[in-house]
Every structure is written in structure tokens, then in C-alpha cells.
Amino acid sequence: RSTLFPYTTLFRSERCLVALLLVMSLLAIWAVAAAENVKQQAQREREKEAMFRGEQVADAIRSYYRYRGAQGPNSLPTSFDQLLEGIPRGTKKLQILRAEAARDPLSSSGEWKLIGPTSSNVADFVKSLTVYSGGVPPMPRGDMGRLASLIPQMANVLDTDSTSTAPGGEDDSANSSGPFLGVASRSQRNSVKTYYGIDRHDGWLFTPLFR
């Protein structure tokens, strides 16, 4: 018995060590999964905020367009300063855009990309909306209808797969000085949430055209 005792003790120690390593491995896996979940949740919240702010910008563009007479592209704003300045209301000015909404929460620069009427972003967004609605092309609504001739017409849209490989990083190209009818994020990353079936940040076009 005395000769077997050390081996029995050693065997039990090895079993305890294996069990301890197993527990530690499970804890490490759980920690990684929890960290990834927290990261995704944080991104989801930023994306919700981006949608909220982007739609506020779209509403501000509509208000400015109406104030300028809704006479086509020349009635659209050409800078964020025009939206932030507000529009006359009697002897005062009506605020149509909060300063916070003028910042993109998804890009490190915080700068929205201004989307002009003839930008390829508009064509891509129209295609995505057409796919999302089952093949029915979107049409400008209300007083935005004067811009209908500028909207690309999509026919025979068969690609129903909205997933695309995002290059990552950010679009650092300069904004044009012409009129813009919407904004998009400069983030070129895939999203956790989707916006009308679009799963890339830079594909989300916030515009009053179809709202």
C-alpha cells in the first residue's frame, strides 16, 4: 500500500490539473465571446445613432428645399452650414438641424459624405431599394418630385443578394461644392444592422427623396 500511495496521489493531482485547465479554457472562450458580444452591441448602438442622425439630416434637407421654393436642384443646399444656420421664420430663424446630427458617429472624422443628385451612390441606393421592395423602383415623393428626372431608373434588377464585401477603412475623398440631396457615412465597413436591406455603412443614403 505504501508503494502505491504516491502514484495514486499523482494520478489525482493530474486529474485536478486537467480539470483546472479545462475550466480555464472554458472561461477564456466565454470571455472572448462576451467581448465580441459587447463589441457588436456597441457598434449596433452607433449604427442606430447614425440612422437617427442621418434621417434628421434628410428632414433638414427637405425643409431647406421647401424654403428655397422646391424648384429642382438649385433649391438644394450646398453646405452643412446652410442647414445649421436655419431658415427665416418671421423675425427669427427656425433651427432645422442640430449640430450633433451634422456629425457621423460611424466615421473617425465625424464628417458625413455629401451626396449630389448625379452621384453613383444614388444609383446604388435606388437599386437596393428596388431589390428591397421586390422589384418596384422607388419614386420621389411630394415636392421632391421635381427631382424625379435626376433619379436613375432601374430595370430588370435580378440580384437579390444584398451582401457585399466591404473594403474597410474610410472614404476620405473631398466633398463636391455643388448641391446635395442626401448624406452617407464615410465608413466603408460592413454593418451589424441593415438599412433597407443594405449591410454596408457607406451604402446607407439618408435623403428626403423617398420619405
Side-chain angles (χ1 to χ4, degrees):
R1 290 182 181 179
S2 58
T3 56
L4 291 176
F5 180 75
Y7 297 102
T8 303
T9 304
L10 180 61
F11 179 68
R12 289 177 179 175
S13 299
E14 289 178 347
R15 288 174 56 186
C16 291
L17 181 58
V18 170
L20 179 59
L21 290 174
L22 178 61
V23 170
M24 291 178 65
S25 298
L26 291 174
L27 287 174
I29 293 172
W30 176 84
V32 170
E36 184 62 27
N37 185 58
V38 169
K39 182 180 178 181
Q40 278 208 344
Q41 184 59 33
Q43 180 174 327
R44 184 179 289 109
E45 292 302 316
R46 287 195 302 272
E47 291 172 354
K48 287 172 60 178
E49 182 64 21
M51 292 179 189
F52 178 65
R53 295 185 187 185
E55 290 176 353
Q56 285 187 318
V57 175
D59 287 338
I61 293 173
R62 177 192 287 112
S63 296
Y64 184 88
Y65 181 73
R66 287 175 175 171
Y67 156 67
R68 290 290 303 273
Q71 296 299 313
N74 290 334
S75 298
L76 291 168
T78 57
S79 71
F80 256 108
D81 289 340
Q82 293 172 326
L83 300 180
L84 293 170
E85 184 180 346
I87 56 179
R89 177 64 62 86
T91 58
K92 301 180 179 180
K93 283 197 173 181
L94 175 67
Q95 182 185 27
I96 59 175
L97 183 67
R98 300 178 304 115
E100 185 180 46
R103 304 285 296 173
D104 172 16
L106 295 176
S107 70
S108 58
S109 67
E111 182 186 48
W112 290 106
K113 182 177 181 180
L114 307 185
I115 306 301
T118 59
S119 169
S120 61
N121 294 73
V122 179
D124 292 340
F125 188 62
V126 169
K127 178 181 179 181
S128 295
L129 289 183
T130 302
V131 171
Y132 185 78
S133 63
V136 181
M139 293 298 296
R141 297 183 178 182
D143 47 17
M144 306 303 292
R146 291 182 180 271
L147 300 173
S149 61
L150 301 174
I151 307 307
Q153 298 301 308
M154 296 291 159
N156 300 322
V157 178
L158 301 177
D159 181 12
T160 58
D161 185 4
S162 65
T163 302
S164 58
T165 302
E170 296 192 12
D171 179 357
D172 58 0
S173 61
N175 283 320
S176 64
S177 57
F180 64 97
L181 49 67
V183 296
S185 177
R186 288 183 175 275
S187 166
Q188 297 177 320
R189 301 174 182 86
N190 286 121
S191 62
V192 176
K193 296 176 65 65
T194 61
Y195 186 74
Y196 293 106
I198 304 168
D199 56 8
R200 273 183 56 168
H201 295 153
D202 55 346
W204 299 353
L205 175 57
F206 302 105
T207 175
L209 275 175
F210 313 115
R211 300 176 68 224

